[in-house]
Amino acid sequence: ITVAGNNLSGDLNGDDSAGLADLAILASTYGTSTGAAGFRADADLNSNDEIDLGDLAILAGNWGIQGSQV
């Protein structure tokens, strides 16, 4: 089965996996919220309008997974 599109929560760079590059993106936006400079809505993985520990937990939970494994 092949999954079309990016269905992997935590894949912020679009490479179909959750890993170090995604962590770097999340870290660069950590602590920002909607409307703040540097905020990236795609890094708000839990959709609470801020980049925080919850988003990091989601990324960590999917660490190393390929999108095709979802």
Side-chain angles (χ1 to χ4, degrees):
I1 297 173
T2 302
V3 179
N6 182 355
N7 294 316
L8 179 61
S9 188
D11 177 18
L12 301 176
N13 69 341
D15 69 351
D16 202 33
S17 66
L20 191 56
D22 306 300
L23 178 59
I25 292 169
L26 194 137
S28 72
T29 64
Y30 195 87
T32 62
S33 57
T34 302
F39 178 77
R40 285 184 49 164
D42 62 336
D44 182 14
L45 302 175
N46 61 2
S47 301
N48 70 342
D49 297 324
E50 60 186 1
I51 312 302
D52 58 11
L53 189 57
D55 305 301
L56 181 59
I58 291 170
L59 175 59
N62 289 323
W63 190 265
I65 296 176
Q66 295 289 321
S68 59
Q69 296 173 320
V70 176

